[in-house]
Amino acid sequence: SPSISHPFGTDKFGRDLLSRELYGGRISLMIGISEVAISMTIGVIYGSISGYFGGRIDTIMMRILDFLLAFPLIFLVITLIALFKMMHWYLIPLLALTSWMETARLIRAEVLSLKEREYIMAVQGLGYSHVRVLFVHVIPNCLSVVLVTIPLKIAEVILLESALSFLGIGVQPPTASWGNIINDGREVLTSAWWVSTIPGIFITFTVLSFHLVSDGMKKSLSIQD
């Protein structure tokens, strides 16, 4: 049980839970931040191209997006991980390639309103290329909406990674993760409550912290819901 030498107690193998939970937090944060960086990049580029060019290109790209949003991607993720026994670092590209669609929709809506403004029409009239207009003048001016969603997406990925690790198809032991630490303490919850309870508290406060960061960014950027 928790003591001076082991503030968060030990697990069934006698391993110090404080050090394992700190290491597990590093794994969860690394997966969350890396996944969001990749998925946001894909979503911003896809959505901005769709909204900027419009017409048939926009229609085709949005139908592809509708199909991907309708597909139960979480089951695809679980199936791939379960079948191929992937290491936890493969979670980053796998989750990134299945979670960029909402960002693309958000960016497309911003670009549709932004491209009709006078300064965008002015740079187009000066003969600048579409690539320069898109990456220099359009995308930087619609990133404020995406910045607010970044902390929320990181919190969402941390919860998803913890759930997958709890089910045994995410981060695999002996590598520590908050999810698999909770799973380790599931069978001894009544006699050794600290094994599962403390990492659960870590997850709760981490997710809450990211939500508070998002609210603070929303207020500082004066973005309405």
Side-chain angles (χ1 to χ4, degrees):
S1 60
S3 61
I4 296 177
S5 57
H6 301 287
F8 291 168
T10 61
D11 62 7
K12 59 185 178 182
F13 298 111
R15 296 175 296 191
D16 179 61
L17 283 176
L18 173 59
S19 59
R20 283 181 58 78
E21 281 155 17
L22 292 176
Y23 186 84
R26 186 176 72 172
I27 294 291
S28 298
L29 289 172
M30 180 65 71
I31 292 175
I33 294 172
S34 302
E35 187 275 344
V36 169
I38 297 172
S39 64
M40 287 289 177
T41 302
I42 297 172
V44 166
I45 294 174
Y46 190 95
S48 59
I49 292 174
S50 177
Y52 179 77
F53 289 102
R56 185 173 296 177
I57 294 176
D58 180 46
T59 302
I60 294 173
M61 295 179 74
M62 285 300 103
R63 295 297 76 78
I64 295 173
L65 198 64
D66 290 338
F67 171 77
L68 294 175
L69 286 170
F71 193 80
L73 295 174
I74 183 62
F75 296 110
L76 175 62
V77 172
I78 293 175
T79 302
L80 289 175
I81 295 174
L83 287 177
F84 297 103
K85 303 295 183 182
M86 297 178 177
M87 295 181 63
H88 61 273
W89 295 119
Y90 286 98
L91 286 173
I92 297 173
L94 188 59
L95 294 177
L97 292 174
T98 56
S99 62
W100 56 268
M101 289 76 75
E102 295 178 358
T103 303
R105 271 193 180 280
L106 189 62
I107 285 291
R108 173 184 175 270
E110 288 294 312
V111 172
L112 284 174
S113 63
L114 194 65
K115 71 176 184 178
E116 302 297 333
R117 297 187 182 179
E118 293 181 354
Y119 73 93
I120 297 296
M121 299 174 67
V123 295
Q124 289 174 338
L126 290 173
Y128 290 171
S129 66
H130 292 306
V131 174
R132 180 172 179 178
V133 174
L134 194 60
F135 285 93
V136 176
H137 300 283
V138 175
I139 292 179
N141 286 290
C142 59
L143 285 181
S144 59
V145 177
V146 177
L147 291 176
V148 173
T149 65
I150 288 177
L152 298 177
K153 293 293 292 184
I154 294 175
E156 181 181 333
V157 174
I158 289 174
L159 284 174
L160 180 58
E161 180 274 323
S162 298
L164 292 174
S165 298
F166 177 80
L167 294 173
I169 54 178
V171 179
Q172 298 297 314
T175 304
S177 170
W178 287 335
N180 61 34
I181 294 175
I182 293 176
N183 185 47
D184 288 341
R186 179 171 53 87
E187 298 177 353
V188 292
L189 188 59
T190 55
S191 59
W193 56 266
W194 57 88
V195 179
S196 293
T197 303
I198 295 177
I201 294 173
F202 269 76
I203 294 173
T204 301
F205 279 99
T206 301
V207 172
L208 178 62
S209 299
F210 279 111
H211 278 264
L212 293 175
V213 169
S214 177
D215 288 339
M217 293 174 65
K218 187 183 298 183
K219 292 177 182 178
S220 65
L221 296 171
S222 300
I223 296 176
Q224 299 294 326
D225 290 326

